[in-house]
Amino acid sequence: MMQGPGSAVSLLTALVGADVISNEPQQIARFASDHRGLYRGQALAVARPRKLAEISKILGFCNQHRLAVVPAAGNTSYCGGATPDASGTQLVVSLERMNTVRRVLPLDYCIEVEAGCILQNVQTAATAAERFFPLAIGAQGSCQIGGNLATNAGGLNVLRYGMMRDLVLGLEVVLADGRVLSHLSTLRKDNTGYDLKSLFLGSEGTLGIISAATLKLFPLPRVRATALAQVANPAAAVELLALMREASGDRVSSFELIPGVALDLVSKYMSDISAPFAVPAPWQVLVEWSSSQPREPLETALTAALQAAAERGLLQDAALAQNETQRAAFWRLRENIPTAQQRAGASLKHDISVPISQLAAFIERGAALAAQLAPEGFLVAYGHVGDGNLHFNVSQKAAADRSEFLTRAPALQRALHDCVAELGGSFSAEHGIGQLKVEELARYSAPHELELMRAVKQLLDPNGIMNPGKVLKPRG
Ligand code: MLT
Ligand code: ZN
């Protein structure tokens, strides 16, 4: 019989061992807030299982005793998806110790990994087998595959390879009651009923805990051509993308929009990084082509495509990376935009997507809304144009008052998200829902869609123990 939270910790410890369950303050502190510092919570204890059977026992116990569980990974969520509430009654379950690459199957072009693997280690294991795992995000040195799966992570190569959901062949999941759904398939074709694994991808720990996955691999890119081009405007960027997909035989792997203001922020706040242009244009794109055929003349082809685009008035200037160091420097410019923006002060973030054909229209309308509704800020709109996904962020002006600026957030968010909805887009393109966008999901989903989501939640987690308060708004 459980007498209270203290007794839950003792019983859990008796069940899986003191090595797995800890309520030491330094362990609890590690999971007390999200990396943006938007949320603070206090866990009852932290479970760090080493094997599947332990996760299973822990969830079975929690389900029986109605103990809320917050699955945690690398803590790089932008939406507070892995932060416990402040009640001190929730158990954080971190899979950081389950970090084995179980097997690489080069002929099957897949890799089987445990959920606690750091993304970069998965990339490295694939490369060691002369294969490529394409998920690439700024946090790849610390984020974990389990988090990438649970949030359906996106990043820099989605245009060519898809989001995390597209990279999964099989999953091993511990259900809320402790039963295990083991489907670590290596099959490309398997039409046997409902695709249950898809339910867990992007469910942000609200339906079960993903413990392992079989992921798709690809031929290793052996040659790359990378350029930073100053484009006439966002509409020209979109046209350039279409042109490049055709000219390259669909070898464009990344196509990122970078405004001049973002380059200014990076040079100002990160003294060791500088742009190749003396004066950034209002808009640049970072474009990369890649091929697994080492002798393919990608640089020549990219140069010709840039030349053709310049003749059509789509771009003014372009710098082609001459070597790997320059290529890395171009990517550092892009990847450090969020950090530079953070250093510049408060920022109102909007992770939106619209059909690519509507991007320029959205930027124009969104910029006017930002100027009108957040006059203490300036627009820093950048991101994955190839996926129709922009980080439509507004940074605080240096002289502005932080708290006054922050009061603008709700009205600006509403106006921008309404505009996105009108254009057939999404208010959360790649960062998920977490706690931050629970209201938005409720607002922008059709009532019957929400009902279906609630029905799935009720079916898989009838006691509501899995990451409560995330994704779906509690009924009230
Ligand atoms: C990025 O693309 O850099 C990330 O998704 C982070 C961000 O929203 O700023
Ligand atoms: Zn992004």
Side-chain angles (χ1 to χ4, degrees):
M1 190 64 194
M2 206 167 81
Q3 301 297 333
S7 109
V9 176
S10 316
L11 290 170
L12 272 166
T13 307
L15 191 65
V16 287
D19 174 45
V20 173
I21 306 295
S22 168
N23 59 1
E24 285 166 18
Q26 66 269 35
Q27 277 301 344
I28 288 178
R30 289 177 59 216
F31 300 95
S33 76
D34 62 307
H35 93 279
R36 286 178 66 191
L38 296 179
Y39 298 98
R40 266 210 91 71
Q42 168 83 13
L44 168 69
V46 177
R48 294 189 307 140
R50 289 183 191 277
K51 48 185 191 232
L52 179 64
E54 288 171 353
I55 311 176
S56 185
K57 280 186 189 174
I58 292 165
L59 289 198
F61 175 93
C62 292
N63 191 48
Q64 191 188 346
H65 296 284
R66 311 285 196 269
L67 193 66
V69 170
V70 179
N75 202 12
T76 60
S77 166
Y78 272 85
C79 302
T83 309
D85 70 13
S87 67
T89 61
Q90 302 188 319
L91 178 74
V92 165
V93 178
S94 163
L95 267 60
E96 64 201 286
R97 286 161 152 179
M98 292 183 59
N99 57 6
T100 304
V101 172
R102 289 185 184 159
R103 53 189 187 146
V104 187
L105 299 168
L107 284 183
D108 293 303
Y109 273 84
C110 67
I111 185 167
E112 186 183 316
V113 298
E114 292 183 343
C117 285
I118 303 283
L119 170 56
Q120 206 161 54
N121 296 343
V122 176
Q123 296 164 342
T124 306
T127 308
E130 309 238 326
R131 295 291 181 262
F132 181 56
F133 182 61
L135 187 76
I137 60 179
Q140 63 198 23
S142 61
C143 66
Q144 294 167 19
I145 284 291
N148 302 146
L149 292 159
T151 59
N152 184 27
L156 303 168
N157 291 328
V158 172
L159 169 65
R160 175 94 163 261
Y161 298 98
M163 292 182 72
M164 195 61 179
R165 192 188 295 281
D166 304 304
L167 302 174
V168 179
L169 291 174
L171 278 191
E172 179 186 88
V173 182
V174 185
L175 301 176
D177 61 7
R179 284 177 300 165
V180 176
L181 205 64
S182 186
H183 200 69
L184 288 168
S185 172
T186 62
L187 301 175
R188 306 275 157 164
K189 296 182 95 170
D190 181 9
N191 261 342
T192 49
Y194 300 137
D195 182 13
L196 294 177
K197 73 174 182 313
S198 276
L199 283 175
F200 298 92
L201 299 166
S203 70
E204 303 187 41
T206 62
L207 301 179
I209 294 187
I210 298 169
S211 50
T214 328
L215 306 172
K216 290 181 193 168
L217 299 180
F218 295 83
L220 196 59
R222 309 255 176 203
V223 54
R224 288 185 164 100
T226 311
L228 198 57
Q230 300 193 319
V231 288
N233 49 47
V238 168
E239 227 181 293
L240 180 64
L241 170 62
L243 186 147
M244 291 211 156
R245 288 192 66 176
E246 207 174 311
S248 66
D250 228 357
R251 282 166 175 70
V252 183
S253 37
S254 303
F255 197 89
E256 298 283 314
L257 186 69
I258 306 180
V261 72
L263 292 184
D264 292 341
L265 286 180
V266 173
S267 335
K268 181 163 174 196
Y269 292 100
M270 326 203 68
S271 51
D272 56 329
I273 308 181
S274 59
F277 310 114
V279 184
W283 299 100
Q284 321 357 252
V285 292
L286 175 54
V287 55
E288 186 159 282
W289 298 10
S290 60
S291 167
S292 58
Q293 295 178 30
R295 279 180 300 282
E296 197 160 346
L298 284 192
E299 282 190 6
T300 314
L302 176 56
T303 307
L306 289 167
Q307 186 61 42
E311 281 159 19
R312 283 170 57 171
L314 298 179
L315 57 92
Q316 287 105 28
D317 197 3
L320 193 76
Q322 298 300 323
N323 49 44
E324 188 51 35
T325 314
Q326 269 184 21
R327 175 181 167 264
F330 286 2
W331 275 109
R332 285 180 71 215
L333 279 170
R334 162 60 185 93
E335 285 171 352
N336 279 287
I337 296 172
T339 312
Q341 225 203 339
Q342 204 171 14
R343 292 188 186 168
S347 147
L348 311 178
K349 286 177 168 284
H350 312 92
D351 166 36
I352 63 92
S353 64
V354 291
I356 296 178
S357 57
Q358 302 300 315
L359 261 172
F362 174 76
I363 291 177
E364 199 178 324
R365 286 172 63 178
L369 289 169
Q372 181 200 337
L373 297 171
E376 301 84 2
F378 59 97
L379 185 62
V380 189
Y382 67 93
H384 322 290
V385 166
D387 318 322
N389 173 198
L390 282 180
H391 299 303
F392 202 80
N393 300 343
V394 179
S395 265
Q396 173 194 346
K397 286 178 186 162
D401 177 71
R402 183 186 172 93
S403 39
E404 196 178 344
F405 173 63
L406 291 175
T407 62
R408 308 295 191 182
L412 178 62
Q413 175 175 293
R414 172 58 34 83
L416 288 174
H417 289 176
D418 282 354
C419 177
V420 163
E422 242 177 75
L423 294 172
S426 164
F427 66 85
S428 184
E430 66 169 1
H431 294 165
I433 304 296
Q435 341 187 11
L436 185 66
K437 297 179 190 168
V438 164
E439 291 288 345
E440 296 302 272
L441 187 71
R443 183 179 170 83
Y444 291 103
S445 305
H448 60 288
E449 273 177 334
L450 268 184
E451 273 319 305
L452 280 174
M453 287 193 216
R454 286 193 187 285
V456 170
K457 169 80 176 167
Q458 177 64 27
L459 181 71
L460 289 170
D461 180 23
N463 294 330
I465 63 159
M466 294 308 306
N467 218 2
K470 315 289 168 44
V471 182
L472 289 173
K473 195 174 160 181
R475 283 190 198 274

Short mmCIF file of all heavy atoms in Angstrom, two decimals, residues 78 156 256 334-335 338 341 349 351 382-384 391 393 430-431, ligand 1:
data_model
loop_
_atom_site.label_atom_id
_atom_site.label_comp_id
_atom_site.label_asym_id
_atom_site.label_seq_id
_atom_site.Cartn_x
_atom_site.Cartn_y
_atom_site.Cartn_z
N TYR A 78 12.24 23.06 -27.18
CA TYR A 78 11.91 24.49 -27.24
C TYR A 78 10.55 24.78 -26.61
O TYR A 78 10.14 25.92 -26.53
CB TYR A 78 11.90 24.98 -28.69
CG TYR A 78 13.26 25.42 -29.17
CD1 TYR A 78 14.18 24.52 -29.68
CD2 TYR A 78 13.62 26.76 -29.11
CE1 TYR A 78 15.42 24.92 -30.10
CE2 TYR A 78 14.87 27.19 -29.54
CZ TYR A 78 15.76 26.26 -30.04
OH TYR A 78 17.00 26.68 -30.46
N LEU A 156 18.14 20.39 -40.50
CA LEU A 156 18.75 21.02 -41.67
C LEU A 156 18.69 20.20 -42.96
O LEU A 156 18.99 20.71 -44.02
CB LEU A 156 20.22 21.34 -41.33
CG LEU A 156 20.39 22.24 -40.09
CD1 LEU A 156 21.84 22.27 -39.64
CD2 LEU A 156 19.87 23.64 -40.35
N GLU A 256 18.61 27.07 -46.64
CA GLU A 256 18.27 27.84 -45.44
C GLU A 256 18.24 29.33 -45.74
O GLU A 256 19.17 29.86 -46.38
CB GLU A 256 19.32 27.57 -44.35
CG GLU A 256 19.40 26.13 -43.90
CD GLU A 256 18.26 25.76 -42.96
OE1 GLU A 256 17.97 26.53 -42.03
OE2 GLU A 256 17.66 24.68 -43.18
N ARG A 334 25.02 29.90 -39.79
CA ARG A 334 23.61 29.52 -39.69
C ARG A 334 23.27 28.93 -38.33
O ARG A 334 22.28 29.31 -37.70
CB ARG A 334 23.28 28.51 -40.82
CG ARG A 334 22.01 27.70 -40.62
CD ARG A 334 20.76 28.59 -40.53
NE ARG A 334 19.56 27.82 -40.23
CZ ARG A 334 19.09 27.60 -39.01
NH1 ARG A 334 19.69 28.12 -37.93
NH2 ARG A 334 17.98 26.89 -38.83
N GLU A 335 24.12 28.00 -37.89
CA GLU A 335 23.77 27.26 -36.67
C GLU A 335 23.84 28.11 -35.42
O GLU A 335 23.24 27.79 -34.41
CB GLU A 335 24.66 26.02 -36.53
CG GLU A 335 24.23 24.94 -37.50
CD GLU A 335 25.19 23.77 -37.57
OE1 GLU A 335 26.28 23.85 -36.97
OE2 GLU A 335 24.85 22.78 -38.24
N PRO A 338 20.44 31.03 -33.41
CA PRO A 338 19.66 31.01 -32.16
C PRO A 338 20.47 31.49 -30.95
O PRO A 338 19.95 32.22 -30.11
CB PRO A 338 19.27 29.54 -31.99
CG PRO A 338 19.43 28.91 -33.32
CD PRO A 338 20.46 29.70 -34.07
N GLN A 341 20.91 35.22 -31.12
CA GLN A 341 19.64 35.88 -30.81
C GLN A 341 19.36 35.86 -29.32
O GLN A 341 18.87 36.84 -28.75
CB GLN A 341 18.54 35.12 -31.54
CG GLN A 341 17.58 36.04 -32.21
CD GLN A 341 16.24 35.40 -32.47
OE1 GLN A 341 16.10 34.19 -32.49
NE2 GLN A 341 15.25 36.24 -32.64
N LYS A 349 9.35 33.86 -30.17
CA LYS A 349 9.65 32.84 -31.18
C LYS A 349 8.37 32.28 -31.80
O LYS A 349 7.40 32.05 -31.07
CB LYS A 349 10.44 31.69 -30.55
CG LYS A 349 11.88 32.04 -30.27
CD LYS A 349 12.58 30.88 -29.58
CE LYS A 349 14.07 31.07 -29.56
NZ LYS A 349 14.73 30.82 -30.84
N ASP A 351 7.57 29.19 -34.56
CA ASP A 351 8.13 28.12 -35.39
C ASP A 351 7.06 27.68 -36.38
O ASP A 351 6.34 26.72 -36.14
CB ASP A 351 8.53 26.97 -34.43
CG ASP A 351 8.82 25.68 -35.15
OD1 ASP A 351 9.38 25.71 -36.25
OD2 ASP A 351 8.47 24.61 -34.59
N TYR A 382 14.31 33.42 -40.02
CA TYR A 382 15.32 32.59 -40.69
C TYR A 382 14.84 31.15 -40.68
O TYR A 382 13.89 30.81 -39.99
CB TYR A 382 16.67 32.70 -39.98
CG TYR A 382 16.68 32.11 -38.59
CD1 TYR A 382 17.07 30.79 -38.38
CD2 TYR A 382 16.27 32.86 -37.51
CE1 TYR A 382 17.05 30.24 -37.10
CE2 TYR A 382 16.25 32.33 -36.24
CZ TYR A 382 16.65 31.02 -36.04
OH TYR A 382 16.62 30.48 -34.78
N GLY A 383 15.53 30.33 -41.44
CA GLY A 383 15.25 28.91 -41.30
C GLY A 383 15.13 28.12 -42.57
O GLY A 383 15.71 28.46 -43.60
N HIS A 384 14.33 27.07 -42.43
CA HIS A 384 14.35 25.96 -43.38
C HIS A 384 13.37 26.21 -44.53
O HIS A 384 12.31 25.58 -44.61
CB HIS A 384 14.01 24.68 -42.64
CG HIS A 384 14.60 24.61 -41.25
ND1 HIS A 384 15.95 24.48 -41.03
CD2 HIS A 384 14.04 24.70 -40.01
CE1 HIS A 384 16.18 24.44 -39.72
NE2 HIS A 384 15.04 24.59 -39.08
N HIS A 391 11.70 30.18 -38.69
CA HIS A 391 11.70 30.61 -37.29
C HIS A 391 11.47 32.11 -37.35
O HIS A 391 12.40 32.89 -37.57
CB HIS A 391 13.01 30.21 -36.62
CG HIS A 391 13.18 28.71 -36.63
ND1 HIS A 391 12.24 27.89 -36.06
CD2 HIS A 391 14.10 27.90 -37.19
CE1 HIS A 391 12.59 26.62 -36.25
NE2 HIS A 391 13.72 26.61 -36.94
N ASN A 393 11.13 34.82 -35.70
CA ASN A 393 11.40 35.34 -34.36
C ASN A 393 11.49 36.86 -34.36
O ASN A 393 11.92 37.47 -35.34
CB ASN A 393 12.70 34.76 -33.82
CG ASN A 393 12.64 33.24 -33.73
OD1 ASN A 393 11.55 32.66 -33.77
ND2 ASN A 393 13.78 32.59 -33.63
N GLU A 430 8.28 22.36 -36.35
CA GLU A 430 9.25 21.32 -35.99
C GLU A 430 9.56 21.23 -34.51
O GLU A 430 10.21 20.29 -34.09
CB GLU A 430 10.57 21.51 -36.79
CG GLU A 430 11.33 22.76 -36.46
CD GLU A 430 12.73 22.80 -37.05
OE1 GLU A 430 13.13 21.86 -37.73
OE2 GLU A 430 13.42 23.80 -36.79
N HIS A 431 9.11 22.15 -33.70
CA HIS A 431 9.47 22.11 -32.28
C HIS A 431 8.44 21.41 -31.40
O HIS A 431 8.67 21.23 -30.22
CB HIS A 431 9.71 23.52 -31.75
CG HIS A 431 10.92 24.18 -32.35
ND1 HIS A 431 11.16 25.53 -32.26
CD2 HIS A 431 11.94 23.68 -33.07
CE1 HIS A 431 12.28 25.83 -32.89
NE2 HIS A 431 12.78 24.72 -33.40
C1 MLT B 1 17.04 26.21 -35.67
O1 MLT B 1 16.63 25.89 -36.77
O2 MLT B 1 18.08 26.87 -35.54
C2 MLT B 1 16.32 25.73 -34.48
O3 MLT B 1 15.16 25.05 -34.78
C3 MLT B 1 16.21 26.70 -33.37
C4 MLT B 1 15.35 27.92 -33.43
O4 MLT B 1 14.13 27.91 -33.45
O5 MLT B 1 15.83 29.02 -33.30
#
